[in-house]
Amino acid sequence: MLIDKKHIGMKVPPHSVTPTAWQLKWFAKATGETNPIYFDEAAAAQAGLPGVLVPPTFFFCMDMDKDHPFDYLETMGCDLGKMLHGEQSFVYHQPVHSGEKLDFDGVITDIYDKKNGALQFVVKDVKVLRQGELVCDVHSVMVIRA
Amino acid sequence: MTKPNFDALNVGDAIPSFTTEPVSRLTLALYATGSGDHHPLHLDQDYVRSKGIPDVFAHGMLGMAYLGRLLTQWVPQAAIRSFGVRFTAITQVGERLVCTGKVVEKLEQAGEKCVRLELTCANEQGEAKHKADAVVALT
């Protein structure tokens, strides 16, 4: 069944995340990061940073950091078992550090299909704000297989 | 960290590459903790077998994180203007990922001298897992 295009423009339930040095330490360990500004608060402070630096792709993790990260697909009636991550991109405006509270404000910007509906694409664009200042745009394309 | 010199870079120039350690089940457990993504497809062999899949496989965003590290080893992170990826294949446990990048365009964007990079994360057999691009400011 094709997803109803009336959902284009739907607001995603907003959420807020404060990245922690603890979680970023594990992210750095998992990704083989050796630059201590990404996991050591003392090294970050020595580099003049207010906290450990949030790495480029961690904005996706924070966007997903909610009880039902794909709530918008559930609202559309999608089977999450048939979901694939198609594309992911970011536009960066300001660096972000551990301890800084971020607000995630998302909207569904497109829904389209290919191969006669065998693949459906749901596009979500999220603005990440720190005290009202735009720090990052997060653009995600999820694919739903028939 | 000093930024590469814009004028000295040419289209086609490669940026320093690296090859990861083999992606292990431990890597996936660590990435689950670091990312917060504990989906059983990446962690629970009993679950994936019940779905007819032979083994757990890597989070797509793990490969993008490796490509992010490729960028931040080359320039300070604040120089990255945009970074995007298309996921083209699944990474299996045991694969090493070869992360490479090259300059494909020199451009001016919002008054800044920038380069556009094409980045690839592939296994050692050359199968691309992710194709990415990034715009980096060098002024």
Side-chain angles (χ1 to χ4, degrees):
Chain A
M1 199 184 74
L2 287 179
I3 302 166
D4 195 331
K5 294 198 177 183
K6 74 175 183 190
H7 296 297
I8 297 173
M10 180 174 82
K11 300 272 276 177
V12 176
H15 73 294
S16 300
V17 176
T18 304
T20 64
W22 184 87
Q23 191 177 357
L24 290 166
K25 181 184 71 180
W26 289 106
F27 189 87
K29 194 172 173 67
T31 57
E33 181 57 70
T34 56
N35 183 343
I37 63 170
Y38 290 103
F39 55 82
D40 181 339
E41 286 180 289
Q46 202 163 23
L49 304 179
V52 298
L53 186 58
V54 169
T57 65
F58 195 73
F59 291 92
F60 175 81
C61 306
M62 294 189 287
D63 185 37
M64 293 290 101
D65 187 1
K66 56 202 287 194
D67 286 343
H68 296 280
F70 298 107
D71 45 15
Y72 63 100
L73 292 176
E74 293 174 271
T75 302
M76 296 175 194
C78 297
D79 178 354
L80 298 186
K82 295 186 171 174
M83 178 186 70
L84 297 168
H85 198 175
E87 295 174 31
Q88 184 63 47
S89 64
F90 306 93
V91 177
Y92 302 102
H93 304 288
Q94 291 293 331
V96 168
H97 311 88
S98 60
E100 297 174 349
K101 180 173 178 257
L102 304 173
D103 300 312
F104 289 73
D105 192 1
V107 64
I108 302 307
T109 47
D110 202 5
I111 297 169
Y112 59 95
D113 63 279
K114 289 182 182 171
K115 298 183 181 173
N116 291 321
L119 295 172
Q120 300 192 76
F121 299 79
V122 178
V123 183
K124 184 179 75 158
D125 281 282
V126 178
K127 293 199 176 303
V128 186
L129 304 161
R130 179 180 55 201
Q131 296 184 325
E133 175 195 31
L134 180 64
V135 294
C136 184
D137 293 295
V138 181
H139 175 84
S140 308
V141 181
M142 305 310 292
V143 186
I144 311 293
R145 291 172 292 135
Chain B
M1 184 189 276
T2 52
K3 282 188 202 175
N5 184 307
F6 176 83
D7 292 324
L9 280 171
N10 294 304
V11 169
D13 285 355
I15 69 170
S17 62
F18 65 79
T19 300
T20 68
E21 293 297 306
V23 172
S24 67
R25 290 166 211 284
L26 175 61
T27 311
L28 302 185
L30 289 170
Y31 188 78
T33 303
S35 68
D37 183 347
H38 292 86
H39 198 291
L41 280 173
H42 308 301
L43 298 169
D44 185 343
Q45 190 147 24
D46 299 326
Y47 172 84
V48 297
R49 283 187 178 156
S50 78
K51 298 285 179 188
I53 302 166
D55 200 356
V56 296
F57 55 87
H59 305 73
M61 289 300 289
L62 172 65
M64 190 179 188
Y66 287 141
L67 291 176
R69 191 153 67 76
L70 186 72
L71 288 173
T72 58
Q73 287 182 358
W74 190 58
V75 290
Q77 189 177 321
I80 306 172
R81 293 290 169 268
S82 61
F83 177 28
V85 67
R86 276 189 303 118
F87 300 101
T88 51
I90 281 170
T91 298
Q92 306 293 345
V93 169
E95 289 189 303
R96 289 178 191 269
L97 295 173
V98 182
C99 299
T100 57
K102 66 178 180 190
V103 176
V104 292
E105 186 184 359
K106 295 177 80 173
L107 66 157
E108 195 164 305
Q109 181 177 293
E112 294 182 307
K113 286 180 177 172
C114 297
V115 292
R116 185 183 303 281
L117 301 165
E118 196 174 87
L119 311 170
T120 304
C121 178
N123 66 11
E124 292 178 291
Q125 289 71 45
E127 180 197 26
K129 307 296 188 182
H130 315 313
K131 290 183 175 175
D133 78 341
V135 174
V136 173
L138 295 176
T139 39

